[in-house]
Amino acid sequence: MKEKIEHLIREIESFRADTEAQMEDFRLKYLSKKGMIPSLFGEFRNVPNEQKREVGVLLNTLKTKAQEQIERFKAQLDEKEESSEGNIDLTRPANWSNAGSRHPLSIVRNEIIDIFGRIGFTVAEGPEIEDDFHNFTALNFPEEHPARDMQDTFFIEKDPDIALRTHTSSVQVRTMENSKPPIRMIFPGRVFRNEAISARAHCIFHQVEGLYVDENVSFADLKQTLLYFAKEMFGENTDIRLRPSYFPFTEPSAEMDVSCMICGGKGCNICKYTGWVEILGCGMVDPNVLESCGIDPQKYSGFAFGMGIERITMLKYQINDLRLFFENDLRFLKQFEASY
Ligand code: PHE
């Protein structure tokens, strides 16, 4: 009996089943009720007691081997079926690949574009590498004037000066040079300043510039436009306040605060207990700028504003470290739902 079982083990191990039918033959021959393995188990009671232990172990090995073979045959046949053409199962669920999500800065930029689009502002872009004329001179920064130091510049070439633009106001100049009023546009883009990186500042950031030039454009138009924007962006109950400021390219100039969207103006650590947070710079386009760009300041007037997208995104989503926008950590990026 021992030899018989050992022989069967070898036979099973070398058995090949390339079709369903061969696999079924195997099952019938060895494992079915009338197959060889159950009949050997039947004969087991006739084995002399002193051999029972050894033969029992062998018999169990034989049975396990036969069952393993059947599983192997099944797996092989399944694989073959899957890879053979014309046998593709179209109802099988697809492998799930990880879907990306839109960056929070892109979401907010798109929302800004959408808000101004609803009141007739169209979108344009300009180059990130600029000459001195478009970044400074045409914007009424006098040669050697300390106002140029307001923004620490990354220069690429000297004489003539070529630099990474320090603000999107350069796109105002390019637009006015190339088009006639009425102009009603916004200019989103990346800007660069030589600043130390911290939770509140970065050497690369994003702005959206706005420009409206036509006959009889007034400061009241600027104020209403910005109030509309603040309410659309931060909610109907938002108030604005304009504080006098200075920019070479606008006169008069102002900085705009919105009532703190976190505490509603009561005072919290976001607004440093003032109830207000600053979000942009603005003003009436200086007549010198219109003139530099070939627009008659006697006939036309205009307003301009510029805001930082990082700052608005931080306020909107209560993000307290600007560096998070540049790290591309998926755990951070996945938290933003792209409604824009
Ligand atoms: N360019 C200014 C800045 O980067 C913002 C600004 C734009 C101010 C337009 C007034 C008008 O700080």
Side-chain angles (χ1 to χ4, degrees):
M1 175 125 177
K2 220 179 108 186
E3 283 79 53
K4 202 167 158 189
I5 298 173
E6 277 164 352
H7 174 77
L8 274 179
I9 289 179
R10 282 192 297 276
E11 198 175 283
I12 282 174
E13 277 173 345
S14 55
F15 199 98
R16 293 274 165 274
D18 294 324
T19 63
E20 294 268 346
Q22 285 168 347
M23 183 171 83
E24 182 60 7
D25 285 347
F26 178 91
R27 195 187 64 81
L28 286 172
K29 184 169 175 192
Y30 299 106
L31 285 165
S32 69
K33 260 194 192 144
K34 290 187 181 138
M36 296 174 83
I37 294 171
S39 85
L40 280 173
F41 272 93
E43 285 171 35
F44 184 70
R45 75 182 107 88
N46 306 325
V47 173
N49 272 346
E50 65 274 16
Q51 289 178 24
K52 268 212 160 77
R53 201 183 137 78
E54 200 185 357
V55 174
V57 171
L58 265 180
L59 253 183
N60 278 323
T61 307
L62 173 69
K63 193 178 172 187
T64 320
K65 291 235 179 230
Q67 282 164 340
E68 281 170 3
Q69 275 294 59
I70 283 267
E71 290 308 316
R72 267 211 9 241
F73 295 155
K74 267 194 200 144
Q76 278 166 2
L77 287 170
D78 277 355
E79 214 171 278
K80 237 167 111 180
E81 193 177 345
E82 249 174 58
S83 59
S84 65
E85 256 180 81
N87 251 330
I88 302 161
D89 180 0
L90 296 174
T91 65
R92 254 178 68 161
N95 289 337
W96 181 250
S97 56
N98 233 340
S101 57
R102 192 158 283 164
H103 195 283
L105 293 177
S106 300
I107 296 174
V108 170
R109 182 201 52 212
N110 292 349
E111 186 171 358
I112 295 169
I113 291 173
D114 198 78
I115 291 171
F116 283 105
R118 296 203 284 273
I119 54 169
F121 283 76
T122 55
V123 181
E125 286 180 27
E128 293 177 355
I129 298 174
E130 262 304 1
D131 51 43
D132 179 85
F133 179 77
H134 291 92
N135 198 79
F136 292 121
T137 306
L139 288 163
N140 203 31
F141 285 82
E143 215 71 52
E144 310 299 334
H145 192 279
R148 292 194 185 218
D149 297 338
M150 277 167 78
Q151 300 164 357
D152 290 314
T153 309
F154 286 118
F155 286 97
I156 291 176
E157 265 174 48
K158 272 280 182 196
D159 286 330
D161 285 352
I162 305 288
L164 297 176
R165 67 178 175 198
T166 58
H167 52 183
T168 43
S169 301
S170 55
V171 195
Q172 280 190 46
V173 177
R174 290 191 174 271
T175 304
M176 288 190 280
E177 281 175 332
N178 298 318
S179 38
K180 298 250 155 303
I183 298 167
R184 192 159 43 189
M185 295 179 96
I186 54 171
F187 316 116
R190 196 179 291 158
V191 300
F192 309 84
R193 288 184 200 174
N194 192 358
E195 278 180 36
I197 295 169
S198 73
R200 297 173 56 91
H202 207 287
C203 56
I204 301 175
F205 57 102
H206 300 79
Q207 290 186 329
V208 177
E209 189 89 5
L211 177 68
Y212 179 33
V213 182
D214 201 352
E215 289 178 36
N216 302 317
V217 176
S218 72
F219 201 92
D221 297 325
L222 169 62
K223 207 170 161 182
Q224 278 305 312
T225 304
L226 294 178
L227 177 63
Y228 156 79
F229 168 73
K231 285 181 182 294
E232 292 293 307
M233 181 53 92
F234 296 111
E236 190 48 41
N237 295 325
T238 309
D239 278 333
I240 62 166
R241 124 182 138 170
L242 290 160
R243 283 178 289 102
S245 184
Y246 172 75
F247 301 101
F249 36 93
T250 45
E251 181 60 35
S253 303
E255 275 168 319
M256 184 175 98
D257 299 339
V258 293
S259 54
C260 182
M261 61 294 295
I262 311 302
C263 63
K266 284 196 211 75
C268 68
N269 61 352
I270 301 284
C271 61
K272 303 210 190 66
Y273 299 94
T274 63
W276 297 96
V277 286
E278 186 199 318
I279 64 160
L280 56 82
C282 60
M284 301 306 291
V285 181
D286 194 290
N288 287 344
V289 175
L290 294 174
E291 202 153 346
S292 298
C293 302
I295 290 177
D296 180 1
Q298 302 300 328
K299 188 167 179 207
Y300 295 107
S301 56
F303 67 66
F305 56 84
M307 62 183 92
I309 304 181
E310 277 80 0
R311 175 140 185 89
I312 293 182
T313 309
M314 288 168 87
L315 292 170
K316 206 173 159 74
Y317 293 108
Q318 298 179 41
I319 296 160
N320 58 15
D321 193 329
L322 186 144
R323 288 168 291 199
L324 287 164
F325 293 130
F326 300 92
E327 279 166 3
N328 284 336
D329 185 331
L330 287 179
R331 292 167 302 177
F332 172 72
L333 294 176
K334 274 187 174 167
Q335 298 177 58
F336 301 91
E337 238 185 90
S339 37
Y340 282 92

